[in-house]
């Protein structure tokens, strides 16, 4: 009968309102505003939930205001880099002044790479990978292996590569090395000098927003007193900025030493570079604003109601 259906709807509505009140009390649902324009008082438990969601203010670029951003532990590597400078600036201006246990800093997401190539193909003009070294944020070696090119070696380029015929006796096939290295680089922010040459030798393309090329960082060139568009070698940067001599002698370069040097240079200007990089990124479109109270009655049904809350009898 119509009267019976009315009672049924009334009981369902009453249970809906009780469940809404419980969710509001626990801070899981935004409280509805009262006719007077004031939101109902929020309980201590709800206040604690709201406090936990406070974000971090991103660095300002010029006079353009930046909205507050909420960062979760699952932040992507490129998003982490955008907020890197905020955390570092709270220390003494260097990465050593920051507690690296912060989930937002995550040095494990940073690696530096350097590759040595030999000549193959006609007259040895084709460059192929013969050694690859990868170091972590602290400069510790996490990968260093000799690689056997897919084509016969015509020119070992020992004076620059440091590779000899003897090294190829313990080299691993290119495909094997490629799979191992790309597994390390996956989801990482990769540092290197003229790093496009290393990626080309690996036959690989790394996302640009996760690549830090020390040959293209304007801050480093400015410190040396060179124009932004000037070409500068890793050896020159190391000598002027790190007071370190690399690539000396006639036995060739060390890919481990070059990778470590690239990481040292990056860390030297990390705060300023990441801040400028974040400011140069195009603004992201704002997220659509949705009202959690809108059309929420559907999700108050038992099939959507959490088990632990359903035990309350509502």
């Amino acid at each position: 009968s119509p009267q019976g259906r009315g009672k049924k709807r009334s009981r369902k509505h009453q249970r809906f309102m009780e469940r809404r009140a419980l969710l509001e009390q626990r801070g899981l649902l935004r409280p509805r505003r009262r006719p007077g324009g004031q939101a109902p008082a929020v309980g201590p438990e709800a206040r604690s939930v709201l406090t936990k969601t406070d974000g971090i203010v991103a660095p300002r670029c010029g006079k353009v205001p930046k909205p507050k951003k909420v960062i979760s532990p699952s932040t992507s590597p490129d998003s982490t880099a955008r907020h890197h400078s905020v955390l570092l600036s709270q220390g003494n201006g260097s990465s050593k002044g920051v507690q690296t246990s912060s989930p937002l800093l995550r040095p494990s997401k940073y690696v530096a790479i350097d590759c040595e190539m030999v000549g193959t193909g006609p007259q040895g003009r084709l460059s192929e990978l013969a050694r690859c070294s990868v170091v972590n944020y602290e400069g510790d070696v996490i990968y260093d292996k000799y690689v056997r090119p897919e084509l016969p070696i015509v020119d070992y380029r020992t004076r620059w590569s440091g590779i000899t015929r003897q090294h190829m006796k313990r080299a691993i096939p290119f495909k094997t090395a490629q799979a191992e290295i790309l597994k390390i680089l996956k989801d990482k922010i990769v540092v290197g000098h003229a790093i496009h040459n290393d990626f080309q030798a690996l036959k690989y393309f790394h996302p640009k927003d996760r690549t830090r090329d020390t040959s293209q960082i304007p801050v480093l060139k400015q410190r040396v007193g060179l124009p932004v568009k000037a070409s500068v070698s890793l050896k020159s940067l190391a000598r002027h900025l790190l007071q370190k001599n690399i690539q000396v002698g006639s036995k060739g370069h060390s890919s481990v030493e070059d990778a470590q040097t690239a990481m040292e240079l990056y860390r030297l200007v990390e705060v300023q570079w990441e801040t400028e990089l974040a400011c140069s990124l195009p603004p992201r479109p704002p997220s659509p604003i949705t009202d959690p109270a809108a059309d929420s009655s559907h999700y108050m049904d038992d099939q959507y109601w959490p088990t632990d809350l359903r035990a309350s009898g509502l």
Side-chain angles (χ1 to χ4, degrees):
S1 64
Q3 185 178 2
R5 286 195 297 271
K7 289 182 179 180
K8 184 176 181 181
R9 281 197 297 270
S10 177
R11 287 195 297 270
K12 185 175 182 180
H13 179 71
Q14 183 180 359
R15 186 174 61 172
F16 165 77
M17 296 303 294
E18 290 173 349
R19 289 183 173 183
R20 173 184 282 279
L22 179 60
L23 290 177
E24 291 177 356
Q25 181 183 357
R26 296 195 177 191
L28 302 175
L29 188 65
R30 183 186 302 170
R32 292 183 300 170
R33 291 192 175 275
R34 294 177 178 175
Q38 296 180 349
V42 182
E45 186 176 359
R47 281 198 296 269
S48 66
V49 173
L50 295 175
T51 302
K52 291 177 184 177
T53 61
D54 289 341
I56 295 177
V57 180
R60 291 179 179 268
C61 306
K63 296 182 179 180
V64 181
K66 293 287 182 178
K68 288 187 176 182
K69 295 181 180 290
V70 179
I71 308 177
S72 65
S74 59
T75 308
S76 63
D78 50 331
S79 178
T80 299
R82 296 183 183 191
H83 298 278
H84 208 172
S85 58
V86 180
L87 297 172
L88 291 172
S89 61
Q90 295 172 356
N92 61 2
S94 68
S95 56
K96 295 181 180 179
V98 182
Q99 292 183 355
T100 57
S101 59
S102 169
L104 302 181
L105 188 60
R106 297 192 298 177
S108 60
K109 286 296 181 181
Y110 291 78
V111 296
I113 188 173
D114 188 76
C115 297
E116 301 298 343
M117 278 74 82
V118 293
T120 63
Q123 299 179 347
R125 293 180 179 177
L126 182 63
S127 294
E128 286 200 58
L129 182 67
R131 182 185 181 185
C132 181
S133 304
V134 183
V135 302
N136 62 15
Y137 185 81
E138 303 296 335
D140 300 322
V141 178
I142 57 178
Y143 189 91
D144 182 30
K145 292 185 180 181
Y146 290 97
V147 183
R148 187 184 314 115
E150 295 181 302
L151 296 177
I153 299 176
V154 177
D155 184 358
Y156 281 90
R157 304 177 184 175
T158 305
R159 180 181 174 184
W160 298 277
S161 68
I163 305 296
T164 64
R165 187 185 302 272
Q166 192 70 20
H167 292 136
M168 290 297 103
K169 292 182 179 180
R170 49 194 172 100
I172 63 175
F174 171 77
K175 290 295 184 182
T176 303
Q178 183 189 48
E180 294 174 348
I181 297 164
L182 298 194
K183 186 176 181 180
I184 295 174
L185 302 187
K186 182 181 179 182
D187 297 329
K188 297 288 196 303
I189 293 178
V190 184
V191 180
H193 192 84
I195 199 170
H196 61 279
N197 293 321
D198 302 304
F199 291 151
Q200 185 175 359
L202 286 167
K203 299 180 181 179
Y204 168 69
F205 174 79
H206 197 69
K208 186 176 180 180
D209 61 349
R210 298 182 189 177
T211 301
R212 304 291 184 268
D213 191 337
T214 53
S215 71
Q216 299 298 325
I217 297 181
V219 186
L220 288 172
K221 297 179 183 180
Q222 291 168 4
R223 291 200 178 191
V224 179
L226 294 174
V228 172
K229 294 184 179 181
S231 177
V232 58
S233 67
L234 182 66
K235 182 176 182 178
S236 179
L237 288 174
R239 184 173 66 253
H240 287 92
L241 300 180
L242 302 175
Q243 289 73 52
K244 176 180 179 181
N245 291 321
I246 63 172
Q247 301 175 356
V248 295
S250 58
K251 293 185 178 180
H253 302 175
S254 165
S255 52
V256 170
E257 183 180 53
D258 288 355
Q260 291 172 333
T261 302
M263 181 61 82
E264 286 182 60
L265 288 169
Y266 169 73
R267 293 182 62 177
L268 185 67
V269 295
E270 182 178 13
V271 178
Q272 185 178 353
W273 173 236
E274 290 297 343
T275 303
E276 293 180 2
L277 186 62
C279 293
S280 67
L281 293 174
R284 292 183 176 182
S287 301
I289 301 175
T290 58
D291 182 4
D295 195 25
S296 58
S297 60
H298 173 67
Y299 296 101
M300 290 293 178
D301 292 341
D302 289 340
Q303 58 180 319
Y304 300 108
W305 193 246
T307 306
D308 57 332
L309 297 180
R310 197 185 304 169
S312 63
L314 296 179

